[in-house]
């Protein structure tokens, strides 16, 4: 039974918050995306530089969010910041995009990554194992595995934040140690001087792979800028979801301090791991093997060099652990946004209630249902292409909100202030804007659809307001 008397319990400390940030950020991307990035940029120097730039951009955004999380230490995170800096429309557009694509599409894709690597260990779990057909629709084993993991994690989260916290911390520690182990063994057992030297011999000669001609093309100027932006889609996706801890601020102890510190420590840990992992790839694999790894599985190719034939199984287990922990954090965080929206009358009323375990159970299960549908449609890959432009737009607006709130609420208590203000937040806005514009120019189809999905929320917002007024 739902009970309005229930309230969030502050049961998560700094360590828990940091593990949530790390666990939510590290999914399957670091094992895969460097392949496509290398096809876009074609050199070791640019590949590592893009990961460093992504780390700086991500950490700048994270420490900037620290000020906002300290000002508004309650459930909802970015949704709340946008509402306070702008208005309910901006907040709703974020929440709409968050539920329609950003959070749910990401969880669906991460779930599918889990099932793909589970099939390495047990072939009948693959998407080739079609269980049922109806016209053009085909239900396969991989889809059922993905949905099953999402249902299991939703159930665990619906039983209280302490259960999900314990699982998140345990799995995140395992994957941090596993990734560091892969990196260390890569440098010790797999690194080859001749491969390293060859990869760095023309480290700054940017090239792009042309599928049409089947050859590399040297690039520079605006073409280089577009290639960097296209390559950063992969690294930014892999580095996203760091803001999940802000959504559960209502369950963090001393949130005015611990949310900001969790953001900084979590993004720092992940950034170091990501950069070291890519330096290891460059030390172990020739650049062409990174660019054209089988099904873009760079980590699998590296593990085979490091560990031999057993390397594939090692990576499969690592990715399964990584994606499971990632989705646990994403599922936990997402439901808190819908809960806060419902409290503002902008989402289903039932989503604004807590269950007997003091968590938004209805929000968790409606999220689960939509994710499951995305898994069944098979269109989650397209949705992820659309998502990055929406994510960047709302990051830009949220950090711009720091400047607005400094004017709007000059005397508000700010236990923590954005590091490097106004220079670093302004630099983030500039860099993210350049990337967004470049993406709209170079990928108008996918990014254009992403913006359209976001803008479709405008009529939905006014329709919901009109219905709410009629109900009153």
């Amino acid at each position: 039974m739902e009970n309005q008397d229930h309230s969030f319990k502050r049961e998560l400390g700094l360590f828990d918050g940091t593990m949530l940030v790390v666990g939510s950020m590290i999914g399957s991307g670091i094992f895969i995306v460097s392949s496509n990035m290398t096809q876009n940029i074609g050199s070791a120097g640019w590949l590592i530089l893009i990961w460093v730039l992504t780390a700086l951009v991500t950490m700048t955004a994270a420490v900037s969010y620290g000020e906002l999380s300290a000002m508004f230490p309650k459930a909802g995170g970015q949704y709340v910041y946008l509402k306070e800096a702008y208005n309910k429309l901006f907040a709703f557009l974020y929440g709409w995009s968050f539920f329609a694509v950003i959070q749910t599409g990401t969880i669906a894709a991460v779930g599918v990554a889990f099932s793909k690597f589970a099939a390495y260990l047990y072939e009948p779990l693959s998407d080739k194992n079609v269980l049922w057909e109806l016209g053009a629709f085909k239900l396969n084993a991989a889809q059922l595995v993905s949905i099953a993991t999402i249902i299991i994690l939703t159930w665990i989260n619906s039983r209280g934040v302490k259960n999900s916290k314990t699982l998140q911390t345990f799995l995140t520690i395992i994957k941090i140690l596993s990734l560091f182990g892969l990196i260390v063994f890569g440098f010790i057992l797999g690194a080859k001087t001749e491969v390293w030297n060859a990869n760095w011999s023309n480290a700054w000669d940017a090239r792009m792979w042309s599928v049409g001609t089947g050859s590399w093309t040297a690039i520079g100027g605006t073409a280089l800028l577009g290639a960097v932006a296209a390559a950063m889609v992969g690294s930014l996706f892999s580095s996203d979801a760091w803001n999940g801890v802000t959504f559960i601020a209502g369950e963090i102890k001393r949130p005015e301090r611990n949310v900001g510190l969790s953001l900084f420590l979590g993004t720092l840990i992940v950034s170091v791991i990501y950069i070291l992992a890519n330096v290891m790839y460059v030390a172990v694999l020739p650049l062409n093997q990174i660019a054209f790894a089988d099904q873009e599985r760079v980590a699998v190719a590296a593990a085979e060099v490091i560990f031999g034939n057993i390397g594939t199984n090692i990576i499969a287990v690592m990715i399964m652990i990584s994606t499971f922990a990632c989705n646990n954090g994403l599922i936990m965080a997402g439901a808190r946004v819908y809960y806060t929206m419902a409290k503002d009358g902008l989402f289903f009323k039932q989503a604004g209630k807590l269950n007997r375990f003091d968590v938004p159970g209805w929000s968790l299960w409606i999220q689960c249902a939509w994710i499951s549908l995305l898994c069944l449609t098979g269109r989650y890959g397209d949705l992820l292409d659309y998502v990055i432009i929406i994510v960047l737009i709302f990051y830009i607006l949220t950090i711009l909100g720091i400047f607005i709130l400094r004017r709007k609420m000059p005397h508000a208590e700010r236990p923590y202030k954005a590091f490097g203000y106004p220079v670093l937040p302004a630099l983030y806005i500039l860099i993210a804007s350049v990337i967004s514009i470049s993406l709209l120019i170079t990928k108008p189809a996918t990014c254009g659809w992403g913006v359209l999905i976001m803008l479709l929320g405008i009529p939905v917002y006014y329709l919901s307001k009109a219905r709410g007024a009629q109900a009153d």
Side-chain angles (χ1 to χ4, degrees), residues 15 18 23:
F15 182 72
T18 303

Side-chain angles (χ1 to χ4, degrees), residues 112-129 141-142 145 297 312-313 316 320:
V112 168
F114 176 94
S115 65
K116 282 185 176 180
F117 283 91
Y120 263 130
L121 304 180
Y122 187 61
E123 180 62 28
L125 298 180
S126 77
D127 55 5
K128 294 177 183 177
N129 183 9
V145 170
R297 297 186 180 108
T312 300
N313 291 336
M320 287 173 67

Side-chain angles (χ1 to χ4, degrees), residues 1 4 33 55 87 267 300 316 337 351 444:
M1 294 289 292
Q4 285 286 67
V33 298
N87 52 46
T267 52
V300 171
V337 176

Side-chain angles (χ1 to χ4, degrees), residues 6-10 12 20 68-84 91 94 98 161 243-256 259 332-344 351-354 358-360 363:
H6 285 282
S7 60
F8 285 123
K9 297 292 184 290
R10 296 194 181 276
L12 307 177
L20 177 63
L68 298 170
S69 67
M71 287 181 71
F72 309 107
K74 53 188 176 181
Q78 194 166 348
Y79 168 85
V80 174
Y81 311 155
L82 289 164
K83 183 177 70 174
E84 295 291 344
Y94 175 72
F98 191 80
V161 73
N243 59 338
V245 71
T246 68
F247 303 141
I248 62 164
E251 292 146 285
I252 299 277
K253 300 171 186 174
R254 296 182 62 195
E256 67 284 350
V259 173
M332 185 198 309
R336 274 64 178 176
V337 176
Y338 320 134
Y339 168 86
T340 308
M341 289 176 69
K343 286 295 188 184
D344 288 339
K353 297 178 181 179
L354 302 181
D358 300 315
V359 295
S363 288

Side-chain angles (χ1 to χ4, degrees), residues 25 63 166 219 276 281 323 367-368 404:
M25 287 178 72
V63 296
T166 303
I219 53 173
L276 288 176
Y281 293 155
T323 50
Q367 175 181 249
C368 177
I404 294 171

Side-chain angles (χ1 to χ4, degrees), residues 214-254:
S215 61
W216 292 100
T217 302
I219 53 173
T222 55
L224 175 58
L225 182 62
V228 169
M232 283 190 76
V233 170
S235 56
L236 286 170
F237 263 134
S238 302
S239 304
D240 198 25
W242 49 266
N243 59 338
V245 71
T246 68
F247 303 141
I248 62 164
E251 292 146 285
I252 299 277
K253 300 171 186 174
R254 296 182 62 195

